[in-house]
Structure formats: structure tokens, C-alpha cells
Amino acid sequence: MTFQRGHEPTAEKPLPLAFDTTNPEDSKPWMVVEPLGSGPFVPLRELWQGRDILYFLVLRELKTRYAYSVLGYGWTILGPLFTALVLAVTLGQTFRIAEGQVHYGVYCFAALVPWTYFSGAVTDATRSLLNNPQLVLRAYLPRAYLPLTPILSRLVDLAASSAVLLLFLAWYGVSSWSSVLVLPLLVLIMIVTALGWGLWLSMLAVDHRDVAYGVSFLLQLLLFATPVLFPLSSLPKGLLPILALNPMVGVVTGFCSTLKGSDSLLLQPLILGGFTSMILFLTGMWFFYRREPDIADLL
Amino acid sequence: MSPFAVRLRSVSKMYPCAAPDRGQASLDRYVWSRARSLARRILGSPDDLPVVQAPPDMNAPRWVLNDVNLDVHRGETLGLVGPNGAGKTTLLRIISRITRQTAGRVELFGRVGSFLDIGTGFHDDLSGRDNIYLCGTLLGTKKREIDSKLDEIIAFAGVGPFVHLPLRSFSSGMRLRLGFSVAAHLVTEILVMDEALGVGDLEFQDRCFRKIGELTRSGMTALLVSHDMAAIQQYCHRVVWLQDGRVEQVGDARSVIKSYIASQIGRSGVAKWHDAVTAPGDHLVLLRAVRIVDEKGNTVCSVCPRDKVSLQMDVDVLAQGIPLHPVCEVSGTGWRLRIQDDEDSFRRKGPASPGRYRFCQDLDLECFPPGWVHIGVGICSGPEGFFHFWERRVVSLLIENAEPEPSCRRESWRVSASA
């Protein structure tokens, strides 16, 4: 009888290594990884096939963002509501709006709904690569998911605050139903814009951490280039084509135009803004995937 | 089907710069250096502010991997050994496509699942179950597949009752179990594992290696990095020894590990103190050398259980009339054995006169389980006395699994009818 000491003899026999390596069909690799500097390449197929990862990344962020807070997702509504209240009290007298028009605070809230989403999404997306070194260094995943995750997960916040906006609309009245129906398109433009910024800034933040600190100033600057604190009609008409290059101008005026008694929806900022958001997104994708092979070495 | 799992063709990896901040100019550093030179000019004391500059070679590019050629065959368990900084982790990262090589070509013949960390993507605030899904999808598995294997994963990890609690309530061992369990059940083609099993208890480590063995028999390929030479030798078909970014040796586990350990012998098989100032001991007794030698008197570091080896300890005695009682302690993973004189011999031995003495102790290796054993030595003044010195783990020794497999032949089985 043979008594084998220790563990199960897993490696008792070395593998026979007599494979037929001469048959070229046999040795066709599933994937070949070329060295660095072989050009930018956006792995569209991988981005689609790995969508389960994206789903669970978004889920992770949603489940953990307001963990251990009493109000939880109540904060998503309280944020814009509170800011609108502060603005109404402090600036309400300065930006007195003509008779028959909607109250300044309500106007601000309608503008803050998309703006809060946008600024939150861009801030989070910018830090997404820096804040998840574990995912970048220890796992292989389509890395564009990292800036995309906060942009998608913040849509839940946007939905919650939009629900409150609908309550305001029900109370104050809707200007026209077509302007409400166009909201999903505005959200789409906003997602593409935020993703464009996110792709650019998250990658730049890996190279220069300054970008992660500077993004709040960039957003403050953008805030004043967007009609959040004041209606677009209070600006000179000649400035409009330049301002409209900022996609958020069209989006924010679109959100505000749903309120009865505010400016009507303008087509020009939407078209121009949609155009720049596409450019921002495509160049962002190009830049992100040009630098992507390097980031594991830089983080 | 291809006979290979991974092929590396002269793969090299260069890191441009090892210095912090990657040599970038930083505004505050510039301002600081200017302010310092200004202060020096005003205060007129050029010597009190030392200028610390990184050594110039810190900024030189570093080749972490240099022309690595390697064929990994389908269904084999390949061990990667080498000292720290040899490029093992970088190689695993390149195979996992986390980073890219500077030159050369990597061919992968299947999906790579990497287990480079205890549970990649784990989040403290998520429940164990959510973490299984997140970690599983990061390994490249679809949600459907995880659904079907969820129960198995939880059972293997042994965290059944806790799986709905947030991960922050898990012990680190439980996290490791969960992470490994996810990898072991969801990776089907190529598993890449960095030294990660260290946190698990012995039972779990053993279970992990057996699971890997089971998976490789069904066609999976495993690449393991470990410093546990006994485990590597027991479970790996072949071993690659990396040294300074180059493949030093590839071959069957036994011979590669033997030569790898032989290269490290200076650090483990023998310990010497040439200088009386640094030598351990007090004003009466000094330890000068400890070594493990075979029958011919050669220093050894890796032995078979049947080899005859002895422990030698050279001691300087500096004063007259000191009783010397050597003690040695052999320890391994989870056990410890002290070898010392019994009380009778304590009484028999007289005090020593000054000079150098050599103590020898034959080690009966068949008492010890295979693996690394560490030996500590001391000299004490008597059964209840104090220690002149007590050095733990001064030398180490690898006891290999005997080859062929040890067997114990008996006369016969006893057979009786059983109810």
C-alpha cells in the first residue's frame, strides 16, 4: 500500500509538452497585444461587451454614495432647492423679473436642475481615474467606463430633482408641452457634453493633479457663461451665437423654457451646442484612448 | 485548439523615471528653491540649508523587463519566482493587459482573469453579494454566469451567513476567501495570480492550491507568483525564475527552485559576523557564525528529508569559567521546536575557558514538514539562567518534498467483517 504524505499529488506528473507547434492554424492567438505607441484605438467592441461591468460600477456608486446618511437621496433634491432658495433671497431683488413672469427663485431652480447634474458629473468624472487606482492597476476593464460611471449614476439625482421641477410646473403652469417633450434630448446633449469634459479632464488629471483641483474653478467660470443666475434674455442679443457654443446654454434655457412666462425655447443654442458637444466628445474619446495605455504606469 | 495559453516574444518594459513626480517641474518647488537662495544671500550662511538632490541615476530610464521570451502551455500551472523587484508583477500586469509592454509582442490564447489583489473592486459599503457581482464582472464574466455560480462561490468562500452584510464587517481572511472564490469559479481560461494567498489560513491556502490544480486539469492555465517555495514546487508543473527583468531559468519546478535558492544562499544558508562590535552577544560570549552543513562540510540551503545535515555555531568565549549551554530553535509555518541540553547534561558540563568553540547539532530532518524552516540559536548560562544572546531565525533551510513521493510499505491490511 502506498501512503502519500502531505497533500493531494496535484503536480505528480509534468505535462507532456509534445504539442504540434508546426501547424500554424493551431497557434492562432485569440488576441495579440502590441507594444505602446501603436496608435490610438477605441475598443468599441469591448466597450459594448463589458457593459455588465458598467452596470455594476454604476450600481456600486449608487449604493454607496449616500451610505450612512439619514436623508440619503433626499440630498439630491435638497441641493438645488436650497441653492435656489439662497439665490432667491440674496439676488432676487437685483434680478427683478418683469410682471407676469415666473418668480426668480423658481427660474433658478429650473436652471439648477441640469446645472447641478452637470457640475457634479464633471467633477466626479474628472477624479474618476485618480480615485480608483485599484481598478486601474489591478483589473482590466474598458477604462472609459470610469469617467462614464458618475455621469450615468448622477442621472438618478437628475431624475429626482426633475420630479420636483414637474411639481413646480404643475403649480405654475407649463409654457408648452413641446418644450417638456424636448427635455430628454436636452439630457442627452448634457450627457454627451459631460462625457466629453470627463474624458478630457480625467486623463489630464492623471498627468497633472492640478486639473483635479482646478476643475471647480473651471465649473465656476462655466456657470457664469451659462444662464443659470439670470435669464438669457437679460443679455445682449449679439452675444448669443458666441455663448451658444457652450452646450449648457441651450440645455439650461431649454429647461427654463418649460416654465410658463419664461423665454421660449431657442433652436440656435441647441443646434450649436449639440455640435460642440459632439466635437468635445469625439476629441475626448480620441485623447482618452491615446493616453490610456500609459495610465497604469502614471497613477 | 492551440497548445499555448500565453506567448511572450521578446517583451520589454521600460519605466521612464523612478523619481517622485516623474521629474516634472513644479511651481511650488521652483518658488521654494528661489526663496531659499534668496534667504541664503540675505542671511549670508550658505552652509546651513543643505540642498538635497536626487541622485542622477534616479531619473534614468529603468528596464523592468528585458527581452522576456516565454511560452505558457495550455493547462499547466506555471510558477514565477524571483527576488523583489525582479519584474514578476510587471509581467503579470502585461499579461493581464493592465499595462502595455514597451517592445515585443504578447499573444494571448484566451481570456485572462487576474487576481492581483484581494478582491479587485471590492467596496466596503457594499454587501458581500454585490461585491461578488462587481468583482466577477471585472474578471470578464457576464452577469448570467455569475447568477448560476453564485451559490458555489458563497459555499467555497464559507461566508454563507454574512453574504448580505456590508463588506466592512468582514475580516481580511473572509475578504480573501471571497475574492479568491470569485476568481476560482469564474476564470475559465487563464488565471493570473499575484502573491495574495498569504492572508488565508493554512487550510484555505491548501484548498486554494487544490482548487487551482482541479481547474488546470480541466484545461485552465494558471500563472502564479509566490514566495512560498514549497507550495510552488508542490503545485506548479514548471517554474520561471526572473532575475533583474530577465528570465534566468525555465524548467521543471524542482530544479529551478533549487538553483534559485542556491542563488539566494548568501542570505539564508549561513550567517557570519566578522566584526566583534556587531556580533550578537554580551561581554562574556559572542556569536560569530551559524551555518548548516552537509556530511562533507559544505554549506547547504536546500535539502531532502533523508539528507544528513548539522547545525554549526561558532562562539567566542571572552572570560574564564563561563558555563555554556547552547539552545537552538527550529521553526516553520505554525510550529516551533526547541533543542537544548537536558538537565543532567547541564550538571555534567563544566565552565569553559576563553577561546573559540564550535557547537554542532545533527538535525533530524524527517521530523520536520517540507517547506522553509528557520533556525534560531542562543547560549544560556544554565537551565534557569539568562541568555548571553538569543538570535531568532538566523539561518533558513528549505526541506524539499522527497522524490520519489515518500511511501510507507506495510505487511498487509487487516480485514474484518463490518456490521
Side-chain angles (χ1 to χ4, degrees):
Chain A
M1 171 262 159
T2 307
F3 165 72
Q4 249 146 8
R5 182 165 113 176
H7 314 279
E8 212 175 84
T10 38
E12 64 212 327
K13 282 195 288 270
L15 272 195
L17 300 180
F19 289 108
D20 178 19
T21 52
T22 49
N23 184 357
E25 270 305 297
D26 253 12
S27 45
K28 203 164 186 147
W30 170 74
M31 164 158 291
V32 176
V33 186
E34 296 292 348
L36 286 169
S38 34
F41 145 79
V42 180
L44 289 178
R45 208 169 57 122
E46 261 177 25
L47 282 169
W48 171 245
Q49 282 175 343
R51 61 194 181 277
D52 280 3
I53 302 177
L54 185 62
Y55 171 75
F56 282 107
L57 283 176
V58 171
L59 202 68
R60 172 176 100 152
E61 192 152 311
L62 288 178
K63 285 194 175 180
T64 56
R65 178 155 359 119
Y66 293 109
Y68 303 103
S69 70
V70 178
L71 289 175
Y73 273 82
W75 283 111
T76 63
I77 302 166
L78 282 177
L81 263 183
F82 189 71
T83 317
L85 193 71
V86 169
L87 286 175
V89 171
T90 53
L91 298 178
Q93 294 301 311
T94 322
F95 290 99
R96 194 187 292 274
I97 287 170
E99 201 66 32
Q101 282 194 325
V102 75
H103 187 269
Y104 177 70
V106 180
Y107 171 85
C108 277
F109 181 77
L112 278 168
V113 166
W115 182 258
T116 311
Y117 165 80
F118 177 78
S119 64
V122 171
T123 311
D124 286 0
T126 302
R127 301 200 173 142
S128 60
L129 291 176
L130 287 182
N131 286 355
N132 289 299
Q134 197 210 12
L135 288 179
V136 176
L137 296 177
R138 302 267 191 265
Y140 180 77
L141 74 163
R143 283 172 181 145
Y145 284 174
L146 290 174
L148 185 56
T149 301
I151 289 165
L152 292 185
S153 71
R154 291 237 171 215
L155 282 176
V156 174
D157 305 29
L158 180 68
S161 49
S162 298
V164 178
L165 180 65
L166 286 180
L167 288 181
F168 276 116
L169 287 180
W171 184 258
Y172 288 101
V174 179
S175 60
S176 71
W177 282 106
S178 61
S179 62
V180 177
L181 289 177
V182 92
L183 286 183
L185 176 72
L186 300 179
V187 172
L188 188 71
I189 292 178
M190 195 156 55
I191 291 173
V192 173
T193 314
L195 191 55
W197 280 114
L199 288 168
W200 270 104
L201 295 177
S202 61
M203 198 45 94
L204 285 171
V206 172
D207 276 340
H208 306 277
R209 309 281 152 111
D210 318 40
V211 175
Y213 307 116
V215 66
S216 58
F217 299 110
L218 176 82
L219 284 166
Q220 269 177 25
L221 209 65
L222 275 178
L223 174 69
F224 287 102
T226 309
V228 174
L229 305 177
F230 43 84
L232 196 60
S233 52
S234 65
L235 291 173
K237 276 269 183 290
L239 271 178
L240 187 62
I242 299 161
L243 280 178
L245 285 174
N246 171 13
M248 286 308 287
V249 170
V251 172
V252 167
T253 43
F255 265 80
C256 294
S257 69
T258 54
L259 283 165
K260 196 173 186 175
S262 62
D263 304 338
S264 59
L265 183 69
L266 294 171
L267 221 50
Q268 189 195 19
L270 269 188
I271 294 167
L272 270 176
F275 181 68
T276 42
S277 74
M278 277 315 285
I279 289 179
L280 199 61
F281 168 70
L282 290 175
T283 55
M285 222 39 188
W286 169 81
F287 178 72
F288 190 88
Y289 273 99
R290 198 170 72 97
R291 308 279 300 116
E292 189 255 4
D294 271 342
I295 59 170
D297 303 336
L298 296 177
L299 265 183
Chain B
M1 195 187 256
S2 158
F4 299 109
V6 179
R7 299 182 85 185
L8 306 178
R9 287 279 160 273
S10 49
V11 168
S12 303
K13 176 77 186 172
M14 190 255 300
Y15 281 110
C17 171
D21 284 353
R22 311 189 289 276
Q24 279 176 3
S26 152
L27 186 65
D28 55 357
R29 208 181 303 156
Y30 174 77
V31 171
W32 175 235
S33 71
R34 274 301 152 108
R36 217 158 41 173
S37 67
L38 191 70
R40 221 171 293 155
R41 206 175 305 154
I42 294 167
L43 301 173
S45 48
D47 296 329
D48 61 347
L49 295 166
V51 181
V52 183
Q53 267 182 342
D57 61 322
M58 281 281 282
N59 289 320
R62 219 154 44 94
W63 288 91
V64 177
L65 289 176
N66 209 334
D67 194 26
V68 173
N69 286 291
L70 187 63
D71 286 345
V72 184
H73 301 273
R74 182 172 297 278
E76 83 174 335
T77 308
L78 185 78
L80 270 173
V81 300
N84 295 139
K88 304 185 293 291
T89 304
T90 306
L91 190 65
L92 292 194
R93 276 192 190 166
I94 286 174
I95 293 172
S96 322
R97 293 193 284 154
I98 289 168
T99 181
R100 277 219 239 155
Q101 70 274 24
T102 316
R105 186 178 150 101
V106 179
E107 295 175 8
L108 303 172
F109 298 81
R111 208 172 62 196
V112 179
S114 40
F115 185 62
L116 303 183
D117 194 7
I118 302 169
T120 309
F122 274 8
H123 195 291
D124 268 354
D125 290 334
L126 286 179
S127 73
R129 196 171 162 281
D130 289 336
N131 274 310
I132 291 176
Y133 276 101
L134 185 64
C135 189
T137 48
L138 284 172
L139 289 168
T141 322
K142 293 262 175 279
K143 184 177 175 298
R144 288 191 312 277
E145 288 173 62
I146 306 176
D147 285 334
S148 64
K149 291 199 171 156
L150 187 65
D151 293 336
E152 256 181 86
I153 293 172
I154 295 171
F156 186 87
V159 293
F162 308 101
V163 80
H164 294 291
L165 295 179
L167 200 72
R168 64 169 70 249
S169 60
F170 280 43
S171 73
S172 50
M174 280 159 77
R175 285 167 200 237
L176 169 77
R177 279 158 183 267
L178 197 65
F180 179 81
S181 185
V182 172
H185 287 86
L186 298 177
V187 176
T188 50
E189 288 166 2
I190 302 166
L191 173 68
V192 164
M193 208 167 84
D194 206 346
E195 177 89 85
L197 296 177
V199 197
D201 54 26
L202 291 176
E203 185 268 343
F204 187 72
Q205 282 185 17
D206 188 49
R207 204 141 56 94
C208 289
F209 279 116
R210 270 185 296 167
K211 180 79 190 173
I212 291 170
E214 211 175 279
L215 291 168
T216 49
R217 275 195 295 278
S218 60
M220 192 190 76
T221 311
L223 267 96
L224 312 175
V225 164
S226 181
H227 292 290
D228 183 353
M229 290 303 142
I232 287 268
Q233 181 164 339
Q234 189 163 17
Y235 294 101
C236 291
H237 300 109
R238 290 196 305 150
V239 170
V240 177
W241 166 18
L242 276 184
Q243 183 84 36
D244 301 327
R246 290 169 188 280
V247 176
E248 185 80 19
Q249 206 174 347
V250 192
D252 70 288
R254 200 182 155 70
S255 61
V256 175
I257 286 180
K258 199 157 188 168
S259 39
Y260 169 56
I261 290 167
S263 83
Q264 301 235 314
I265 194 163
R267 290 168 224 173
S268 52
V270 59
K272 273 185 190 167
W273 290 269
H274 298 291
D275 188 1
V277 178
T278 54
D282 52 15
H283 61 288
L284 302 172
V285 179
L286 281 180
L287 176 65
R288 299 310 294 261
V290 181
R291 62 177 76 81
I292 300 167
V293 293
D294 61 8
E295 285 166 300
K296 292 172 202 139
N298 298 322
T299 310
V300 290
C301 176
S302 148
V303 290
C304 288
R306 297 207 187 114
D307 291 349
K308 294 226 181 314
V309 299
S310 54
L311 173 73
Q312 286 183 356
M313 169 165 54
D314 290 351
V315 170
D316 277 351
V317 177
L318 307 175
Q320 187 73 39
I322 298 165
L324 294 178
H325 296 286
V327 180
C328 87
E329 185 182 76
V330 187
S331 60
T333 320
W335 57 272
R336 192 153 62 167
L337 183 73
R338 190 174 275 203
I339 302 172
Q340 60 187 12
D341 294 338
D342 57 25
E343 289 199 21
D344 282 344
S345 67
F346 265 123
R347 279 188 217 103
R348 279 201 303 276
K349 277 184 188 162
S353 52
R356 178 165 290 191
Y357 291 83
R358 170 168 290 181
F359 296 92
C360 286
Q361 172 76 45
D362 289 335
L363 297 173
D364 186 4
L365 297 176
E366 281 180 300
C367 296
F368 310 130
W372 278 102
V373 298
H374 307 285
I375 295 170
V377 292
I379 296 273
C380 73
S381 59
E384 307 290 329
F386 62 92
F387 277 95
H388 294 289
F389 61 84
W390 176 236
E391 286 293 300
R392 289 175 190 280
R393 294 173 167 242
V394 271
V395 287
S396 303
L397 181 68
L398 180 80
I399 302 177
E400 297 179 30
N401 277 339
E403 199 187 42
E405 285 291 321
S407 59
C408 166
R409 296 185 195 285
R410 288 283 163 90
E411 295 272 303
S412 66
W413 286 82
R414 284 189 306 278
V415 184
S416 63
S418 162

